[in-house]
Amino acid sequence: IAGITQAPTSQILAAGRRMTLRCTQDMRHNAMYWYRQDLGLGLRLIHYSNTAGTTGKGEVPDGYSVSRANTDDFPLTLASAVPSQTSVYFCASSRHASEGVYNEQFFGPGTRLTVL
Amino acid sequence: ELKVEQNPLFLSMQEGKNYTIYCNYSTTSDRLYWYRQDPGKSLESLFVLLSNGAVKQEGRLMASLDTKARLSTLHITAAVHDLSATYFCAVMGAGGTSYGKLTFGQGTILTVHP
């Protein structure tokens, strides 16, 4: 593994079903993030984690939950999917949440989710 | 609340021409990032701008940051087809609950044609 991986690549899901999007990074980054991308809205932050064991809400957290049991993994769960959650989901990581000169975020390949 | 606005949202350019994409943001920040996204792909980091007056260049792209005006520009010189992509600016929050988090602009879809 090099960088950030996400699974699945794409998924079609019936409304009301539960779904977990997986994200794994091998860069030993402390901070991880979940974004959704919708045309005309750019990327919007769903949830974030500054370090293993902690999580926080972003701009659009409703209907989503996350956990951060270890440094490498940051799964995003939709407890009961709705059509408005149809989107492309990107996981990202950065070395530190707030320290460091660059604090550059690196992005995974994305998961395209369709909720019918 | 930090807001980031890009313009234009759509840009159709002829090869060889120059153009500028603008990124305005609403609150104090001294860290701004430009990303490129090809269709169906992830985001690729282009530039990291860390201070007022910062200017960075890579090939036909040049980015600058004016923190006093809360404005960044991405200038394209002598456009070529390979530059066709969506370009995002993202601003890092500097205080309160937004500290350390990126807020993205809407993206500019650039198409370069012969």
Side-chain angles (χ1 to χ4, degrees), chain A residues 29-109:
Chain A
H29 283 172
N30 287 318
M32 297 186 74
Y33 312 84
W34 274 105
Y35 295 89
R36 60 176 289 172
Q37 182 179 18
D38 303 288
L39 188 63
L41 298 176
L43 279 76
R44 292 179 292 167
L45 183 65
I46 304 171
H47 284 287
Y48 65 94
S49 169
N50 288 338
T51 188
T54 68
T55 62
K57 294 181 179 180
E59 181 184 353
V60 288
D62 294 344
Y64 305 94
S65 64
V66 292
S67 61
R68 186 90 184 276
N70 57 61
T71 298
D72 299 344
D73 301 299
F74 190 42
L76 176 73
T77 297
L78 290 67
S80 179
V82 295
S84 62
Q85 292 177 310
T86 294
S87 187
V88 180
Y89 291 85
F90 286 100
C91 179
S93 71
S94 65
R95 185 174 179 185
H96 299 285
S98 57
E99 299 171 13
V101 176
Y102 284 100
N103 200 27
E104 186 175 358
Q105 290 187 19
F106 297 88
F107 286 79

Side-chain angles (χ1 to χ4, degrees), chain B residues 40-82:
Chain B
K41 303 294 186 182
S42 186
L43 279 75
E44 171 192 353
S45 179
L46 291 175
F47 300 109
V48 180
L49 302 170
L50 298 176
S51 61
N52 186 42
V55 177
K56 291 203 173 173
Q57 183 162 6
E58 180 73 34
R60 300 174 188 274
L61 300 177
M62 183 174 71
S64 66
L65 177 62
D66 181 342
T67 58
K68 293 180 182 177
R70 298 176 185 168
L71 170 69
S72 179
T73 61
L74 180 67
H75 187 72
I76 303 157
T77 302
V80 294
H81 179 72
D82 286 351

